[in-house]
């Protein structure tokens, strides 16, 4: 595995469905060959649908970036009005007080080749000085147009540099996941602490009802200690299981 620059795209594996993405209503999140991915199904020619994410402020002037991802196509036929599936970038910029359009290029995905298998698509582009510095919008797209059939894509990555590296999530996605795990652990600890106190209270209450000798009280104290230790052990077992599941 080759780990390179950070992934500039958020939720790039679609683990949180279309959170952070702008997706046409025809797109859906599905599982394909064990992967969670975005899916579009075309039933007629002449249509054009996109999934996009804002990358405003993430690109530096005069710098190379590499976009990559996995794409699978099935049962495709092409229309006659410029059919395509591609990665592309565009946006608007302040052009001396007026709004201008710009784009740093696109990468056509050869969707008729190797249908039914995952293909790794890689595209490198370079920004310029004026448009990048004065950008008011900037978006990365997966664009499909004028086809019939199914297109799936997953594990997208936009990284600084001209070399592609293995997919990794954005740091912000990792931080969000760790936060969720931490909250879950604390919830389990609080729940088990409450259970320990309830069980211990029941034993002490029973002891006060039936206590006759000093020896018996010592036995009840031992039962309390054993119950609390067992419950505490259960907390650690559950926490370890949570970590393994993650």
């Amino acid at each position: 595995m080759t780990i390179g620059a950070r992934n500039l795209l958020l939720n790039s594996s679609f683990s949180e469905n279309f959170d952070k993405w702008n997706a046409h209503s025809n797109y859906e999140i599905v599982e394909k060959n064990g992967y969670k991915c975005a899916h579009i199904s075309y039933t007629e020619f002449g249509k054009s649908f996109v999934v996009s994410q804002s990358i405003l402020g993430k690109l530096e002037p005069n710098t190379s970036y590499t976009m990559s991802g996995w794409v699978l196509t099935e049962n495709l036929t092409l229309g006659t009005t410029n059919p395509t599936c591609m990665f592309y970038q565009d946006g608007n910029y302040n052009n001396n007080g007026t709004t201008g359009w710009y784009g740093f290029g696109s990468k056509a995905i050869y969707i008729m080749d190797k249908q039914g298998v995952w293909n790794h698509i890689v595209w490198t582009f370079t920004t310029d000085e004026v448009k990048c510095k004065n950008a008011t919008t900037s978006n990365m797209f997966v664009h499909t147009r004028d086809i019939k059939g199914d297109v799936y894509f997953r594990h997208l990555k936009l990284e600084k540099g001209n070399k592609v590296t293995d997919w990794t999530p954005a740091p912000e996605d990792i931080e969000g996941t760790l936060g969720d795990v931490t909250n879950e652990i604390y919830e389990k600890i609080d729940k088990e602490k409450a259970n320990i106190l309830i069980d211990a209270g029941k034993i002490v209450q029973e002891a006060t009802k039936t206590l006759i000798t000093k020896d018996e009280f010592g036995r009840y104290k031992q039962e309390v200690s054993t119950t609390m230790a067992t419950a505490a052990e259960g907390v650690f077992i559950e926490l370890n299981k949570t970590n393994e599941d993650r």
Side-chain angles (χ1 to χ4, degrees):
M1 181 177 184
T2 303
I3 299 177
R6 59 156 290 169
N7 194 343
L8 298 175
L9 297 176
L10 303 177
N11 187 31
S12 55
S13 66
F14 301 103
S15 60
E16 300 299 323
N17 299 323
F18 283 122
D19 184 42
K20 310 303 181 185
W21 294 91
N22 296 309
H24 190 277
S25 59
N26 284 37
Y27 276 93
E28 61 179 347
I29 298 295
V30 299
E31 267 206 17
K32 184 69 173 177
N33 301 338
Y35 298 105
K36 194 171 186 179
C37 53
H39 168 243
I40 181 70
S41 181
Y42 281 88
T43 58
E44 57 181 307
F45 294 128
K47 301 294 184 180
S48 177
F49 302 121
V50 300
V51 171
S52 67
Q53 183 172 138
S54 174
I55 53 172
L56 184 63
K58 295 184 177 182
L59 303 183
E60 300 174 12
N62 302 316
T63 304
S64 293
Y65 291 87
T66 298
M67 174 73 182
S68 61
W70 292 89
V71 180
L72 182 149
T73 59
E74 289 181 326
N75 309 312
L76 284 189
T77 54
L78 304 182
T80 58
T81 56
N82 197 18
T84 190
C85 179
M86 63 183 175
F87 295 149
Y88 84 93
Q89 182 280 334
D90 79 4
N92 295 319
Y93 73 106
N94 184 347
N95 183 15
N96 295 319
T98 63
T99 298
W101 176 91
Y102 73 97
F104 294 133
S106 63
K107 170 70 173 182
I109 300 168
Y110 298 103
I111 51 181
M112 297 303 291
D113 297 342
K114 299 180 180 178
Q115 291 198 57
V117 297
W118 289 106
N119 295 287
H120 196 220
I121 311 300
V122 179
W123 166 46
T124 297
F125 62 93
T126 302
T127 62
D128 73 1
E129 182 81 16
V130 175
K131 298 179 180 67
C132 193
K133 280 190 173 181
N134 296 288
T136 55
T137 65
S138 181
N139 296 283
M140 184 60 69
F141 294 83
V142 179
H143 184 197
T144 51
R145 178 181 62 221
D146 194 31
I147 59 176
K148 284 185 180 180
D150 297 277
V151 179
Y152 304 83
F153 51 93
R154 62 175 175 86
H155 290 98
L156 305 177
K157 186 173 186 179
L158 176 62
E159 58 188 313
K160 188 176 180 179
N162 60 7
K163 293 183 179 179
V164 64
T165 58
D166 291 312
W167 178 86
T168 51
E172 296 91 333
D173 293 334
I174 296 174
E175 290 168 3
T177 299
L178 289 177
D180 292 341
V181 173
T182 300
N183 290 337
E184 184 177 338
I185 289 174
Y186 278 121
E187 287 176 4
K188 287 191 175 184
I189 290 175
D190 289 341
K191 182 178 179 180
E192 290 302 328
K193 283 169 62 179
N195 289 338
I196 290 172
L197 293 175
I198 291 171
D199 290 341
K202 288 179 179 178
I203 292 176
V204 172
Q205 188 177 41
E206 185 64 25
T208 59
K209 289 181 182 178
T210 59
L211 182 62
I212 298 175
T213 67
K214 185 176 180 180
D215 290 339
E216 287 182 352
F217 180 71
R219 187 178 71 249
Y220 280 117
K221 283 178 61 179
Q222 183 60 44
E223 288 182 19
V224 171
S225 298
T226 301
T227 299
M228 295 181 70
T230 302
E233 184 180 1
V235 173
F236 290 109
I237 291 174
E238 286 298 318
L239 293 181
N240 288 333
K241 184 177 184 300
T242 299
N243 290 333
E244 290 172 0
D245 291 341
R246 295 285 175 178

